[in-house]
Amino acid sequence: MFMAWRKRAFLVHLKYRVRAIPFYGNRLFCPVCGMNARKFMHFGVVERTDAQCPRCGSLERHRLLWLYLRRHTTLFDEPSPQGPPRKLLHVAPEPCFEPRLRKMFGNGYLSADLDGSRAMEKMDITSIGYPDGSFDIIFCSHVLEHVVDDRKAIGELCRVLKKGGWAILMVPVTAGRTFEDPTVTDPVERLRLFGQEDHLRRYGPDYADRLRDAGFEVRTVGAGEIASAGEAERMGFAGIADKVYHCLKTD
Ligand SMILES: [Zn+2]
């Protein structure tokens, strides 16, 4: 299973490098991979222009998050050589982040996914097979909207995080208030109600309450607090509504 994941990651990397060649230029910049581009690729069911970096695959929200991580977190700080190595759990690993985080964390890096071929380890986040306080940092973005019992998953993520640790738990927020209906199982009906065939709910800004209920202290940060309007234009995330949900486990 581990080898399947390595092979897949290598092939994705190779494909992205080749497809990026005609996109090099000076108009846009990807803060994740450092590419200077004349344009980004279109992306989305409702197609968005300049959405996906051809070189690393980052979307608008990934570039926003990476910039946030650089400017407002300790992610890029070198760990103390005397201390134990930092441990990071990366759920449903985004191909644009995976190689960078793996390099940064070395043996402390663990990627996990419900589909074992997509990560180092097969994992159901509503039942995580690790003891309390196993990880310093957790990344789990655009996953919870696919999970039946998202409150249980949030509780598990909080449990396996160390006291003093932090997590990035982003979801699409597309409603004024969260609404869900577990009786809806038809993909067409899910698409109509929840915006995607495999989404189980629409989240509203009250999503942060679910995080707090699990014991997290939550910082909700929008693009305007992370980058100037000019930077947002140049990095291809101007007008993004996504927010970073930075969750701290303080006790
Ligand atoms: Zn990139």
Side-chain angles (χ1 to χ4, degrees), residues 30 32-33 35 53 55-58:
C30 173
V32 181
C33 69
M35 179 183 184
C53 170
R55 190 165 179 260
C56 71
S58 70

Side-chain angles (χ1 to χ4, degrees), residues 6-218:
R6 285 302 290 259
K7 189 176 169 193
R8 187 192 168 90
F10 176 73
L11 291 174
V12 167
H13 175 77
L14 205 63
K15 184 179 117 184
Y16 285 9
R17 286 293 166 124
V18 172
R19 79 176 180 187
I21 293 167
F23 287 86
Y24 282 94
N26 282 316
R27 187 171 69 90
L28 297 168
F29 174 72
C30 173
V32 181
C33 69
M35 179 183 184
N36 284 293
R38 62 186 179 85
K39 64 174 185 173
F40 288 151
M41 296 166 69
H42 295 213
F43 193 86
V45 180
V46 180
E47 236 178 27
R48 311 186 300 275
T49 55
D50 287 330
Q52 187 173 39
C53 170
R55 190 165 179 260
C56 71
S58 70
L59 297 173
E60 300 93 327
R61 67 172 186 272
H62 301 130
R63 295 189 289 276
L64 174 75
L65 173 59
W66 202 249
L67 201 62
Y68 175 78
L69 294 167
R70 279 205 177 278
R71 294 182 173 178
H72 298 279
T73 73
T74 55
L75 184 74
F76 294 89
D77 296 354
E78 289 288 332
S80 156
Q82 284 85 32
R86 296 187 300 175
K87 291 203 161 135
L88 180 134
L89 171 63
H90 191 186
V91 179
E94 298 90 342
C96 60
F97 295 154
E98 186 272 335
R100 293 168 176 84
L101 295 173
R102 186 157 44 89
K103 194 173 170 193
M104 215 183 290
F105 283 78
N107 290 335
Y109 177 81
L110 177 69
S111 65
D113 197 289
L114 197 56
D115 175 349
S117 71
R118 291 178 174 266
M120 293 162 70
E121 193 171 302
K122 183 176 165 62
M123 181 183 283
D124 171 1
I125 57 166
T126 62
S127 177
I128 301 177
Y130 281 85
D132 297 1
S134 293
F135 300 97
D136 298 277
I137 302 172
I138 297 176
F139 279 24
C140 178
S141 287
H142 285 238
V143 172
L144 293 166
E145 68 274 21
H146 302 271
V147 177
V148 177
D149 193 344
D150 63 335
R151 290 178 187 276
K152 193 172 177 205
I154 296 165
E156 275 291 89
L157 293 168
C158 190
R159 179 184 68 76
V160 297
L161 195 60
K162 281 181 193 164
K163 187 178 170 184
W166 54 275
I168 299 290
L169 307 178
M170 286 162 70
V171 295
V173 172
T174 55
R177 186 153 191 88
T178 301
F179 77 91
E180 54 197 323
D181 183 351
T183 65
V184 177
T185 54
D186 174 37
V188 177
E189 196 55 6
R190 281 179 175 169
L191 175 66
R192 188 179 74 79
L193 286 172
F194 309 132
Q196 200 170 300
E197 290 171 359
D198 55 351
H199 282 188
L200 307 182
R201 66 189 63 82
R202 277 189 191 273
Y203 286 107
D206 57 304
Y207 163 63
D209 297 335
R210 293 194 186 202
L211 300 171
R212 287 189 193 100
D213 289 347
F216 284 118
E217 189 186 300
V218 184

